[in-house]
Amino acid sequence: MDTGEDSPWAEARAALPESWRATIGAEFDTPYMRALAGFLQAEAAAGKTVFPEPERIFAALKRTPLDAVKAVILGQDPYHRPGQAMGLSFSVPPGVRVPPSLRNIHKELEGDLGLRPPPHGCLTAWADAGVLLLNTALTVEEGRPGSHARSGWHRFTDHVLAAVNARPIPTAFILWGNDARRRAPLLDGTRHLLHQSEHPSPLSAYRGFFGSRPFSRVNDFLASKGLEPVDWRLEPCDAQAPGPASHGAA
C-alpha cells in the first residue's frame, strides 16, 4: 500500500479531523481510491459537471468527527442539480428550495418532536450536534442521480460505517429506504440501534416513514445507554464548508 504524499487524496485526508484520519486514513492510499480519483479526473476532462465541489466531497466527515458521532443518517448520493449538494446527506444550502424528501423529514420531525420546520433545508446543525450525514456515494454527475454509485465510493463509505460500528460507544444508525437498509448487515444491531423504515421520498413516505418517529427513538436509545441525546433543532445554519482546523485537524 502506497502511503506517500503523492496520493491524489493527500489534501483531502489532511483536512479530516484526527479521529477520522486515525481510523480510515489508510483507505485513501488503496488502489480503489486511486482509481476513483482517476475516474473523477476523467469525468472533469470529458467536460462533465460533478457535484458537490471538491472541497465539499468529504464535508460529512469534516463536520462530524468520529469521536463526536451519536447517530448516522445514511443517504444514497448527493443532489444532482446546481447549487443543491453540500456534502451532507439530505441537506441543501439556505436559499435553495427544500427538496420533497427533506420536506417530509421536516414533517416527521414536527410530528415526532413538535419542532416546527425551519424555512430552509440546511442540516448543518444536526452535523454539529453529532449526526453523521453520510451518503453511500459521495459524488454524482449533474442531472444523473446514481451515476457514481458504481465508481468505488461504496467501498470507502462502508469503511466509514465500519469505523463507527467498531467503536464501543452505542450509536444510532438511521436507515431510510432499501439502499440504506442494505448496509444493515455491516452493523452490530445488538450494540447499536438500527432504525429502519421506508424512505422519506413522496413515493414511499406514506408506506412507513411517517409515524416511524426516528428522532425520539434515537434519543430514547441514547438515554437508555446513559448518553446525551441529539439536539434535533435545525437552527442555526452554518452552511460554510468546514476547514481543516474546524475540529482539530492538522
Side-chain angles (χ1 to χ4, degrees), residues 177-200:
N178 291 333
D179 186 71
R181 285 185 288 195
R182 278 194 285 268
R183 267 66 198 174
L186 302 174
L187 309 171
D188 182 357
T190 61
R191 227 163 14 95
H192 305 301
L193 173 68
L194 306 187
H195 180 85
Q196 304 183 57
S197 77
E198 294 299 321
H199 195 274

Side-chain angles (χ1 to χ4, degrees), residues 73-134:
I73 294 180
L74 194 60
Q76 188 166 349
D77 59 358
Y79 292 117
H80 57 91
R81 299 297 183 191
Q84 291 182 312
M86 54 189 300
L88 306 175
S89 62
F90 295 101
S91 183
V92 294
V96 174
R97 183 179 180 182
V98 178
S101 291
L102 183 52
R103 282 202 303 271
N104 287 338
I105 292 171
H106 282 174
K107 289 178 183 177
E108 181 63 16
L109 180 65
E110 184 172 26
D112 188 4
L113 298 181
L115 297 176
R116 290 192 64 182
H120 58 74
C122 176
L123 303 181
T124 55
W126 285 359
D128 293 342
V131 182
L132 179 64
L133 298 170
L134 182 70

Side-chain angles (χ1 to χ4, degrees), residues 134-152:
L134 182 70
N135 284 312
T136 53
L138 300 188
T139 57
V140 69
E141 181 185 341
E142 180 178 8
R144 295 188 61 213
S147 52
H148 291 185
R150 299 182 182 276
S151 64

